[in-house]
């Protein structure tokens, strides 16, 4: 392995504390929104809204706190494999649920 | 395959430790993947023997109709424990934790796994999980009696120690996840120079595919178990229809893990078969890439078939035919493997040593197990056969006839490398033959009884089943004798066996390029891989190397 590559691999992205605090505040804000909207009757859309907010929150955690945004692409591939599997499991389970 | 050299007077990993301790502490605190593999070997074999004894007791109960040596409740407990021990403590961790640990770094030319301490932690988590199972047996309330599938609603209503026993399965899951994580990282990061993805031995491909299932599927059972515990403790109503829950949701969640888990069990076995056949046929493997990719295909499609366990549970008709179709599709990559193995033997120079004989009985038993799986995967026949002995026979042919057989195959194949000793070939041959006879006596009658309508998990039966039940019970005695012969032969050989040559079978993958037993960091120097994994032209070079 040549030296350049080694240096590149050892290079760590340093996120400033301010970003972490901002993300933390964003997470708290989103949690408050989740709690607030749960009191409003959106009918069928309620679940979709809750899931959407949860998805935004988890993507913040995964990208910033878990450093996936700054890491090698292979980790994104791994993550996608897991998400893809999850989606398939959901779809197949719903073939049962919606047709019962 | 490699130009690594071996110093003849080098100390083996038995004589040199990764820590400052000696004796038992040098084992309990070791971070050496080979020692951890052996720790797993001893603990897993101990639980396997317990599982076998429970199985023999169940068969003894069934030697005659009516209560023979136990009452119904005891029988319920026995089949549950037999299932829990064999599945969670023997067959899921079995091949990856023992042989994956020992041989993954050796076969890719690494000094150890990527996270050696995490590796030791995985073993401790396994032991803690096992202890929790044992504790659940003796606490007030009594041992769990739900069957190893812990189906709702009975698992919520049962007054036995369900919560603790399933919590043990939760803990064991972490051991599995951490081992998988370790193996994936090791395969990505630690291959020796020259070992591209398509120069990896096929055992590595199968362990790699298995590791992915361990990581992605195991958390599902973890969450499911926690939900059952919450349901039992607080009545949260996730699964209980009276509280708005859905009992079939439990079955979905359980099988979303437990069906892929079947492939956690069998994929490593398929990998071992792909190692043993080329070595004893003296021929490169037929269809290397087809076998490698079929492992990944099995790992992937294995996720999509779980609801075939639920055809009679009240799932929708649409889901039924979709899952039946997917079940037929998952048989394809397994078929690819079997045809490639058989093609590898064609015109090979076959040397029928014990590991090869284990593989032969694997191909027969696993094929019967696999094909009867298709009978159960068809919607119409499944309605007749569901929850009968046919299912019991099918999964014993796949799990015990498939993975169990290869557990012994792998043990007999790699024993000289692990211990530096050779076992009695004569007794090994006898044990394979006895195993094959005992196995078919024990399980084949169950196919017939199941077809005739004998339900599984009953401690009693109608008189017309008596003859077949007796044949099966006698088969279980013969199986017990076979196990005694196998373990006696191996344990005697560890203590008093003849020293084995470094490469007794003429294998060419990297583990045969180092001493038997290997030195602490596996190779004198990290080998450079220059050959395809099953290129037997290097055997001559290897003889030269070891001189």
């Amino acid at each position: 392995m040549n030296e350049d590559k080694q240096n590149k691999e050892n290079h760590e992205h340093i996120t400033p504390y301010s970003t972490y605090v901002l993300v933390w505040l964003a997470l708290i804000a989103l949690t408050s929104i989740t709690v607030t909207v749960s009191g409003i009757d959106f009918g069928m859309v309620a679940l979709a809204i809750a899931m959407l907010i949860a998805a935004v929150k988890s993507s913040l955690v995964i990208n910033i706190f878990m450093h996936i945004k700054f890491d090698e692409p292979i980790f994104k591939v791994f993550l996608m494999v897991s998400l893809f599997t999850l989606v398939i499991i959901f779809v197949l389970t719903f073939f049962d649920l919606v047709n019962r | 395959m490699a130009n690594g050299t071996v110093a003849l007077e080098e100390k083996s990993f038995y004589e040199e430790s990764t820590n400052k301790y000696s004796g038992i502490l040098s084992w309990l605190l070791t971070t050496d993947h080979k020692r951890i593999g052996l720790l797993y070997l001893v603990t897993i074999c101990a639980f396997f023997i317990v599982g076998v004894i429970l199985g023999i007791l169940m068969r003894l109960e069934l030697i005659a109709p009516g209560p023979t040596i136990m009452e119904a409740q005891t029988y319920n407990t026995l089949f549950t424990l037999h299932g829990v021990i064999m599945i969670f403590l023997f067959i899921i961790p079995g091949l990856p934790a023992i042989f994956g640990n020992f041989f993954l770094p050796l076969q890719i030319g690494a000094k150890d796994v990527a996270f050696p301490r995490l590796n030791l932690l995985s073993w401790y988590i396994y032991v803690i999980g096992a202890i929790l199972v044992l504790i659940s047996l003796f606490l007030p309330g009594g041992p769990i009696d739900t069957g190893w599938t812990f189906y709702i609603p009975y698992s919520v209503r049962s007054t036995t120690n369900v919560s603790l026993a399933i919590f043990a399965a939760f803990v064991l899951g972490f051991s599995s996840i951490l081992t998988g994580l370790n193996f994936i990282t090791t395969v990505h990061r630690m291959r020796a120079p020259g070992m591209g993805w398509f120069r990896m031995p096929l055992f590595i491909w199968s362990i790699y595919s298995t590791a992915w299932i361990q990581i992605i599927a195991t958390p599902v059972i973890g969450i499911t178990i926690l939900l059952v515990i919450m349901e039992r403790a607080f009545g949260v109503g996730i699964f209980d229809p009276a509280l708005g829950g859905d009992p079939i949701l439990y079955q979905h969640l359980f099988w979303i893990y437990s069906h892929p888990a079947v492939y956690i069990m069998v994929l490593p076995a398929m990998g071992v078969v792909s190692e043993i056949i080329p070595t004893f046929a003296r021929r490169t493997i037929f269809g290397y890439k087809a076998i490698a990719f079929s492992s990944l295909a099995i790992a992937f499609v294995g996720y999509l078939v779980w609801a075939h366990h639920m055809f009679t549970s009240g799932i929708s008709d649409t889901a039924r035919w979709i899952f039946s179709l997917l079940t037929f599709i998952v048989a394809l990559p397994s078929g690819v493997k079997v045809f490639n193995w058989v093609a590898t033997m064609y015109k090979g120079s076959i040397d029928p040593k014990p590991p090869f004989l284990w593989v032969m009985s694997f191909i027969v038993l696993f094929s019967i197990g696999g094909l009867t799986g298709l009978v159960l995967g068809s919607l119409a026949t499944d309605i007749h056969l569901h929850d009968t002995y046919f299912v019991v026979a099918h999964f014993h042919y796949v799990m015990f006839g498939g993975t169990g057989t290869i557990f012994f195959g792998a043990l007999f194949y790699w024993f000289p490398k692990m211990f530096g000793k050779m076992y009695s070939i004569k007794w090994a041959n006898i044990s394979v033959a006895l195993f094959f006879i005992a196995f078919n006596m024990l399980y084949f009658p169950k196919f017939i009884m199941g077809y005739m309508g004998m339900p599984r998990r009953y401690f009693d039966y109608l008189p017309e089943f008596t003859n077949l039940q007796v044949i099966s019970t006698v088969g279980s005695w013969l199986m017990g004798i076979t196990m005694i012969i196998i373990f006696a032969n191996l344990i005697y050989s560890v203590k008093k066996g003849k020293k084995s040559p470094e490469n007794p079978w003429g294998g060419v993958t990297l583990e045969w390029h180092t001493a038997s037993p290997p030195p602490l960091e596996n190779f004198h120097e990290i080998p450079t891989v220059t050959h395809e994994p099953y290129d037997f032209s290097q055997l001559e070079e290897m003889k030269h190397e070891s001189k």
Side-chain angles (χ1 to χ4, degrees), chain B residues 254-272:
Chain B
F254 179 82
W255 289 113
I256 285 171
Y257 165 73
S258 296
H259 195 80
V262 170
Y263 298 102
I264 297 181
M265 305 172 204
V266 84
L267 266 174
M270 292 170 156
V272 176

Side-chain angles (χ1 to χ4, degrees), chain B residues 77-312:
Chain B
T77 299
L78 281 196
F79 74 65
T80 305
L81 287 175
H82 174 79
V84 168
I85 289 175
M86 286 303 203
I87 299 276
F88 293 107
L89 293 174
F90 168 62
I91 210 157
I92 288 182
L95 285 159
I98 299 170
F99 301 105
N101 253 319
F102 202 107
F103 289 100
L104 183 136
L106 277 164
Q107 285 199 324
I108 62 169
K111 287 179 179 175
D112 206 314
V113 292
F115 309 114
R117 287 185 185 156
L118 190 68
N119 201 14
L120 182 64
L121 179 69
S122 310
W123 180 72
Y124 275 102
I125 294 175
Y126 170 85
V127 173
I128 291 168
I131 290 171
L132 289 176
V133 174
L134 294 179
I135 292 174
S136 80
L137 305 184
F138 301 106
L139 284 184
I144 182 170
D145 64 346
T146 59
W148 81 275
T149 46
F150 320 128
Y151 267 17
I152 296 282
Y154 185 65
S155 59
V156 171
R157 289 186 198 145
S158 172
T159 53
T160 56
N161 293 324
V162 174
S163 298
L164 186 60
I166 61 176
F167 184 69
F170 175 81
V171 172
L172 289 167
F174 276 94
S175 170
S176 193
I177 293 170
L178 294 179
T179 303
L181 193 72
N182 219 336
F183 287 175
I184 289 180
T185 317
T186 310
V187 170
H188 274 272
R189 295 288 192 195
M190 300 184 68
R191 281 171 285 134
M195 178 164 282
W197 283 87
F198 295 111
R199 276 194 183 160
M200 290 198 309
L202 287 162
F203 178 62
I204 305 299
W205 271 102
S206 70
I207 286 284
Y208 178 74
S209 310
T210 308
W212 269 109
I213 314 179
Q214 286 175 303
I215 289 186
I216 297 185
T218 316
V220 182
I221 191 81
I223 290 162
T224 313
I225 284 171
L226 290 184
L227 289 174
V228 174
I229 293 174
M230 280 166 66
E231 190 87 355
R232 279 178 68 85
F234 309 112
V236 286
I238 289 169
F239 303 125
D240 185 353
L243 299 168
D246 182 354
I248 294 181
L249 175 65
Y250 172 81
Q251 295 190 19
H252 274 299
L253 289 171
F254 179 82
W255 289 113
I256 285 171
Y257 165 73
S258 296
H259 195 80
V262 170
Y263 298 102
I264 297 181
M265 305 172 204
V266 84
L267 266 174
M270 292 170 156
V272 176
V273 171
S274 309
E275 296 297 315
I276 292 178
I277 289 183
T279 302
F280 292 91
R282 286 289 180 279
R283 233 182 133 246
T284 186
I285 191 95
F286 185 90
Y288 172 91
K289 282 192 180 171
I291 296 182
F293 285 124
S294 67
S295 292
L296 290 177
I298 290 175
F300 177 67
V301 187
Y303 276 101
L304 315 181
V305 299
W306 75 86
H308 67 209
H309 296 268
M310 303 159 56
F311 286 157
T312 61

Side-chain angles (χ1 to χ4, degrees), chain B residues 24-45:
Chain B
I24 189 86
L25 270 185
S26 75
W27 284 85
L28 292 178
L29 298 175
T30 185
T31 50
D32 178 12
H33 67 99
K34 300 180 288 297
R35 286 193 177 210
I36 295 172
L38 292 178
L39 287 174
Y40 271 116
L41 177 68
V42 172
T43 33
I44 288 174
C45 282

Side-chain angles (χ1 to χ4, degrees), chain A residues 9 72 74-75 77-79 81-82 84-85 88-90 92-93 95-100, chain B residues 184 188-189 208 212 216 246 248 252 256 300 303-304 306 314-316 318-319 322-323 326:
Chain A
E9 278 190 4
E72 287 175 49
I74 187 81
F75 295 111
V77 174
F78 288 174
L79 198 70
V81 169
S82 316
F84 182 59
T85 316
I88 289 178
I89 288 172
F90 269 42
L92 285 173
T93 311
F95 272 123
D96 169 29
L97 203 64
V98 298
N99 293 305
R100 252 189 234 164
Chain B
I184 289 180
H188 274 272
R189 295 288 192 195
Y208 178 74
W212 269 109
I216 297 185
D246 182 354
I248 294 181
H252 274 299
I256 285 171
F300 177 67
Y303 276 101
L304 315 181
W306 75 86
I315 58 171
S316 77
T318 318
I322 290 173
F323 279 101
L326 289 167

Side-chain angles (χ1 to χ4, degrees), chain B residues 280-513:
Chain B
F280 292 91
R282 286 289 180 279
R283 233 182 133 246
T284 186
I285 191 95
F286 185 90
Y288 172 91
K289 282 192 180 171
I291 296 182
F293 285 124
S294 67
S295 292
L296 290 177
I298 290 175
F300 177 67
V301 187
Y303 276 101
L304 315 181
V305 299
W306 75 86
H308 67 209
H309 296 268
M310 303 159 56
F311 286 157
T312 61
S313 301
I315 58 171
S316 77
D317 282 344
T318 318
R320 268 187 255 251
W321 73 256
I322 290 173
F323 279 101
S324 180
L325 177 72
L326 289 167
T327 302
F328 277 76
I329 291 173
V330 80
L332 295 176
S334 309
V336 166
K337 283 181 192 288
V338 173
F339 284 120
N340 279 302
W341 293 327
V342 176
T344 304
M345 288 184 270
Y346 179 63
K347 289 193 176 172
S349 167
I350 289 174
D351 183 15
K353 288 277 174 14
F356 185 80
L357 297 177
W358 281 109
V359 167
M360 289 303 98
S361 62
F362 164 87
I363 290 183
V364 175
L365 301 175
F366 180 74
S367 298
I368 296 175
L371 292 171
T372 50
L374 295 180
V375 178
L376 294 166
S378 314
L379 294 175
T381 39
D382 185 65
I383 290 171
H384 177 70
L385 296 169
H386 184 83
D387 255 350
T388 67
Y389 268 26
F390 195 91
V391 178
V392 179
H394 155 70
F395 71 70
H396 279 90
Y397 266 83
V398 176
M399 299 289 86
F400 194 20
T403 312
T405 306
I406 290 306
F407 178 80
F408 295 116
L411 203 52
F412 280 87
Y413 179 54
W414 280 317
F415 184 89
K417 180 55 66 185
M418 295 165 96
F419 297 99
K421 300 283 180 69
M422 184 50 96
Y423 49 80
S424 154
I425 299 279
K426 188 180 97 180
W427 280 104
N429 286 337
I430 291 171
S431 53
V432 184
L434 275 179
F435 178 90
F436 192 78
I437 296 166
F439 187 94
N440 286 298
M441 269 179 81
L442 176 49
Y443 298 114
F444 203 84
K446 289 184 202 267
F447 278 127
I448 305 168
M449 283 188 274
Y451 182 75
M452 288 161 68
M454 171 77 208
R456 66 190 286 204
R457 293 178 170 172
Y458 275 45
F459 94 123
D460 195 3
Y461 51 86
L462 296 172
E464 54 261 43
F465 293 114
T466 309
N467 288 343
L468 289 166
Q469 291 278 17
V470 169
I471 293 174
S472 185
T473 300
V474 173
S476 78
W477 298 339
L478 194 56
M479 184 58 85
I481 293 167
T482 312
M483 292 300 138
I484 292 170
I485 295 174
I486 289 172
F487 284 108
N489 185 6
L490 294 180
I491 293 168
Y492 178 84
S493 308
V494 170
K495 295 193 168 205
K496 297 189 175 170
K498 276 190 288 187
K499 197 173 173 338
S500 156
E502 248 159 46
N503 189 359
W505 317 125
V508 287
T509 38
L510 278 183
E511 77 271 30
W512 303 109
H513 288 248

